[in-house]
Amino acid sequence: AVVSTQSTGESDSDDTSSLDSGSIRTESDEEMQEYMRDIDQQLQGTSLSQTFEKDADGDVDIDLNLVSNILNSFSAESGLSGPASSVLASLGVHLPRDCSDIAGS
């Protein structure tokens, strides 16, 4: 998901948030955007950025990447308990441990 916000240049006395066309913007949002730009620049020189699934516009598809990575992690657990199966179980998602569970054998 991509969130677009605009700053009005106004700031609250406690410098925690300001209202802009009905949306709340915090100083940490601006810091996070700057941090993300820095990370993007660092990743441009690596092959890691090319491993992400992208949509038709060339933007990274966060949802698809999340599902793909968690399924790859689950598969690598080879039927044993691990972080992916624990996270999925906490979300109420219980995947079959092997293909025979899918076929109903």
Side-chain angles (χ1 to χ4, degrees):
V2 176
V3 177
S4 177
T5 58
Q6 297 177 350
S7 176
T8 60
E10 302 172 6
S11 73
D12 293 342
S13 59
D14 64 358
D15 215 17
T16 56
S17 66
S18 63
L19 227 45
D20 180 36
S21 302
S23 65
I24 297 175
R25 182 169 178 95
T26 64
E27 281 297 315
S28 62
D29 289 343
E30 292 174 10
E31 291 173 11
M32 180 58 75
Q33 292 297 324
E34 182 178 343
Y35 177 74
M36 290 172 63
R37 281 190 298 272
D38 290 344
I39 294 293
D40 287 342
Q41 286 178 344
Q42 291 176 11
L43 288 177
Q44 283 180 350
T46 69
S47 61
L48 178 65
S49 65
Q50 296 175 5
T51 64
F52 298 125
E53 298 290 333
K54 298 181 177 153
D55 62 15
D57 296 329
D59 296 328
V60 173
D61 188 335
I62 295 171
D63 296 331
L64 179 59
N65 282 285
L66 171 73
V67 171
S68 176
N69 288 331
I70 195 120
L71 289 176
N72 286 335
S73 295
F74 181 81
S75 177
E77 291 174 2
S78 301
L80 302 173
S81 289
S85 58
S86 296
V87 168
L88 290 169
S90 72
L91 296 171
V93 177
H94 302 283
L95 297 175
R97 294 288 177 186
D98 59 31
C99 291
S100 63
D101 289 346
I102 295 172
S105 309

